[in-house]
Amino acid sequence: MRYLITGGGTGGHIYPAMAIAMEIRNRHEDGEILYVGTKEGLESELVPREGLDFRTIRVKGMPRKIGRDMFLAIKELVLGINDARRIIKQYKPDIVIGTGGYVCGPVVYVASGRGIPTLIHEQNAFPGMTNKILSRSVDKILITFEESRKYFKYSKKILLTGNPIRKSILEVDKDKAYMDLGINRNIPFILSFGGSGGQKRLNQAMLYVIEKNVSNKNMQIMHITGSRFYNEFMDEIEARDIELGRNIKVLPYFYDMPQGLNIADLVITSAGAITLAEVSAVGIPSILVPKGYTAENHQEYNAKAFEDEGAAHVILEKDLTGEGLNKAIEEIIHDSERLANMAENSRKMGRSDAAERIVDIVDDLMK
């Protein structure tokens, strides 16, 4: 069988696509997998590293305002559709799987027009424009959040699967994690990060939190600034004459996130789809600060879905202050009953078997 997977632009679309590809590879050793992305997208770096065949099409995101950029994007879209036709004609896939981002539009559109089984996966509570358009013609619409169901018109096509995550999140030795990270299991541990690239507003608020808790022996904090913000953050630490003790760690990037998530008592983070999938798979209480500049403001919808289920406390970026964040931390971390309830609600939202569920649906479509 030949599987064509497409999705790109950001990690939120790419990592689920690769998780699906890995599950297909594990389940069907004789299956052939082709990933289609763009030359400029992050997928052009990440996908070949996993040993997957990779081809590209020409396509750009569609601007919201009429102008020169829109006409250029339309031209690229036409070229992208022709590229997609050529690839599909040559590869002859048995099924096409799209995980969002503008790159998957031409590929899934052409495949559905040729009668090839197609499905899309939506990672966010508020669907992206590409998936909304493609939902009209695909065979199945797979969703991560129950809340996103109402934004699609074709309810009979929709299946709730969750968002695929890396297996390493579920395979952590906690005793080793405490030792490796130098964390005391008897003292509350807070892990703070603003997504893979960092979050400036969260960094600003965490400066206050760190300053207020630098001598607090009843709290451990690990804050990841994001590589581009690290020097600026540490300069401010020095300017405020803050001497970091053993209870507080500040890092530019954190390569051992699976370990950190598995031993954290509370996570402070933005509301990207992948992060929330991993947080809920482990079952961690969270304070969510959704980034206010994402497409369709999808992070705020994601965060609200977690808050509505009692799994998270949400602070919007525009309302975020160091004082307010510190108060929220103190109210949650020292309330064991609230922590336990949030953890249980987070776990209920998790779908650790999302990749398996998705490939089950893929297999059914190909029968």
Side-chain angles (χ1 to χ4, degrees):
M1 291 292 182
R2 292 184 171 184
Y3 305 83
L4 192 156
I5 301 176
T6 180
T10 66
H13 299 305
I14 301 163
Y15 289 114
M18 292 199 300
I20 295 167
M22 294 304 106
E23 177 61 24
I24 291 171
R25 179 187 282 177
N26 291 337
R27 190 180 299 192
H28 304 295
E29 293 182 1
D30 58 343
E32 297 178 34
I33 303 172
L34 174 65
Y35 195 113
V36 176
T38 64
K39 189 182 297 183
E40 299 80 13
L42 181 61
E43 63 271 18
S44 66
E45 298 177 26
L46 298 178
V47 173
R49 289 181 193 171
E50 296 297 327
L52 295 170
D53 290 336
F54 181 72
R55 293 186 64 179
T56 63
I57 66 170
R58 292 164 288 182
V59 66
K60 293 182 181 295
M62 190 66 66
R64 300 303 169 95
K65 295 181 179 179
I66 297 175
R68 182 174 180 271
D69 288 343
M70 176 174 281
F71 289 112
L72 289 174
I74 292 172
K75 178 183 176 182
E76 286 286 295
L77 178 60
V78 173
L79 293 173
I81 290 173
N82 288 333
D83 292 341
R85 284 173 177 155
R86 190 178 306 112
I87 289 172
I88 288 173
K89 183 178 180 180
Q90 292 172 352
Y91 185 65
K92 297 181 174 60
D94 295 291
I95 192 165
V96 172
I97 303 159
T99 59
Y102 49 82
V103 64
C104 82
V107 182
V108 176
Y109 170 76
V110 170
S112 63
R114 296 192 174 188
I116 298 169
T118 53
L119 60 83
I120 52 174
H121 178 265
E122 176 55 57
Q123 297 85 41
N124 295 299
F126 188 84
M129 185 59 66
T130 301
N131 275 349
K132 281 184 183 177
I133 294 170
L134 292 174
S135 67
R136 304 168 187 168
S137 57
V138 297
D139 296 293
K140 295 293 180 184
I141 305 163
L142 312 185
I143 59 175
T144 298
F145 293 92
E146 183 61 42
E147 285 76 10
S148 66
R149 188 183 294 270
K150 62 189 175 187
Y151 298 108
F152 290 108
K153 294 181 180 179
Y154 308 94
S155 59
K156 291 182 180 180
K157 297 181 181 181
I158 299 172
L159 295 167
L160 179 67
T161 61
N163 200 7
I165 59 171
R166 47 186 166 173
K167 295 295 184 183
S168 57
I169 289 289
L170 306 173
E171 299 169 349
V172 170
D173 181 333
K174 289 189 177 182
D175 291 333
K176 187 175 185 298
Y178 281 113
M179 187 177 300
D180 289 349
L181 301 182
I183 300 299
N184 186 334
R185 67 170 67 235
N186 299 313
I187 300 174
F189 170 46
I190 298 164
L191 178 61
S192 171
F193 59 99
S196 58
Q199 187 175 8
K200 187 163 187 151
R201 290 294 301 275
L202 178 58
N203 284 343
Q204 291 168 346
M206 284 302 297
L207 278 167
Y208 179 90
V209 173
I210 288 172
E211 188 170 20
K212 287 297 179 183
N213 292 282
V214 72
S215 300
N216 187 347
K217 295 181 179 179
N218 296 313
M219 189 181 294
Q220 300 171 100
I221 298 172
M222 180 182 289
H223 178 61
I224 294 90
T225 62
S227 298
R228 60 187 171 137
F229 298 124
Y230 179 73
N231 290 336
E232 176 187 340
F233 190 90
M234 296 308 294
D235 287 345
E236 187 61 28
I237 288 284
E238 185 176 350
R240 297 189 186 196
D241 200 26
I242 300 172
E243 293 186 16
L244 300 179
R246 293 180 62 186
N247 67 317
I248 295 178
K249 298 177 173 65
V250 178
L251 303 171
Y253 190 82
F254 189 40
Y255 292 96
D256 299 313
M257 191 60 75
Q259 286 190 317
L261 288 174
N262 272 271
I263 63 173
D265 296 287
L266 178 67
V267 165
I268 305 169
T269 186
S270 55
I274 292 176
T275 296
L276 294 184
E278 294 182 344
V279 163
S280 59
V282 179
I284 316 166
S286 57
I287 295 175
L288 300 178
V289 184
K291 294 178 180 177
Y293 49 85
T294 53
E296 285 98 21
N297 200 24
H298 67 260
Q299 285 206 6
E300 187 172 332
Y301 287 89
N302 293 349
K304 187 176 186 303
F306 268 63
E307 186 174 51
D308 288 348
E309 294 298 324
H313 174 76
V314 175
I315 306 175
L316 299 182
E317 271 195 337
K318 65 182 180 65
D319 300 324
L320 181 64
T321 64
E323 296 90 336
L325 180 58
N326 193 56
K327 181 181 178 183
I329 291 170
E330 289 181 343
E331 288 177 351
I332 295 171
I333 202 70
H334 298 303
D335 186 338
S336 57
E337 183 177 353
R338 185 178 180 186
L339 266 180
N341 288 336
M342 289 176 73
E344 180 60 26
N345 292 332
S346 176
R347 195 172 294 109
K348 286 177 181 177
M349 294 190 74
R351 299 283 189 279
S352 60
D353 61 345
E356 290 89 339
R357 292 182 183 206
I358 291 169
V359 177
D360 284 344
I361 295 165
V362 169
D363 288 347
D364 286 342
L365 273 178
M366 294 172 68
K367 287 179 180 176

